[in-house]
Amino acid sequence: IGLTGSDDRLWKMWGFPEGNILLTGEGHTDWLSGCCFRPSGTQLVTSSGDTTVRIWDLSRHGCILTLRGHARAVRGCCWHSCGDFVASASADGTSKIWDVNSERCRYTLRGHEDSVNSIEFLPFSNTVVTSSADKTLSLWDVRTVSRL
C-alpha cells in the first residue's frame, strides 16, 4: 500500500502491484505537502498549504480532526512511534508537536530563521529533527522544547 498527496488537494491510498486507488481523501483547501500513516495503520496525517494538519480515519473514510495554529503553509508532518503525537513543520518558521488525544498543540518549537521544511521523530524517542531553509538542521528534545 502506498500513500500520496499532491497539488490537487487530495491524498490517495494506492494498492500494489496493480496501482489501483483504494481510498481518496478530500478536505484540504490547498496543496498537500505531506502524508503519513499512523503506526497502528488505522489513521493518517496530512499537511497542507492551507496552514492545517488533518487526521483521517481510514475506516470512516474522512477527516476526524483539523489542527490549526500555523500562520503559513505546513511543509511536512509525521507521527511519533507511540501514535499519540503528530509533529508539523511550517513556512512560518516554527514546528509544532500536537497531542492527538487532547486535540491541541502541546509544544511550539522556535529557533529557525526561515521556513521549516521537514520534520521527523527519531524512532522510539522524544527527539525530533527539523530542516530549514535557513540551511540548518536542528535536534529538539520535545519534553523540554529545547535544541540538543
Side-chain angles (χ1 to χ4, degrees):
I1 292 179
L3 187 62
T4 60
S6 75
D7 289 346
D8 65 4
R9 304 175 184 166
L10 302 174
W11 61 262
K12 294 178 182 176
M13 186 174 11
W14 302 83
F16 291 103
E18 295 83 17
N20 54 319
I21 298 173
L22 303 174
L23 288 174
T24 300
E26 63 180 78
H28 281 290
T29 59
D30 210 337
W31 46 270
L32 268 70
S33 56
C35 46
C36 181
F37 285 108
R38 188 174 191 167
S40 66
T42 58
Q43 295 177 338
L44 58 96
V45 63
T46 57
S47 54
S48 172
D50 67 11
T51 75
T52 68
V53 174
R54 291 181 182 239
I55 309 293
W56 305 81
D57 188 297
L58 300 176
S59 63
R60 296 186 203 166
H61 303 286
C63 178
I64 58 168
L65 179 60
T66 301
L67 301 168
R68 293 178 173 86
H70 283 294
R72 294 184 62 200
V74 183
R75 297 287 199 179
C77 58
C78 66
W79 286 96
H80 185 273
S81 53
C82 73
D84 293 330
F85 299 95
V86 165
S88 59
S90 174
D92 66 12
T94 69
S95 297
K96 292 185 181 289
I97 308 299
W98 305 90
D99 183 328
V100 176
N101 297 317
S102 67
E103 302 181 0
R104 66 179 183 89
C105 177
R106 177 72 66 94
Y107 305 111
T108 299
L109 309 177
R110 293 180 174 88
H112 284 293
E113 296 175 12
D114 206 340
S115 174
V116 184
N117 295 330
S118 68
I119 191 162
E120 197 68 43
F121 279 104
L122 298 184
F124 307 103
S125 77
N126 293 306
T127 303
V128 70
V129 61
T130 55
S131 67
S132 171
D134 67 12
K135 300 180 183 177
T136 65
L137 295 173
S138 292
L139 289 171
W140 307 82
D141 183 331
V142 297
R143 295 167 300 183
T144 60
V145 195
S146 61
R147 285 186 180 178
L148 298 175

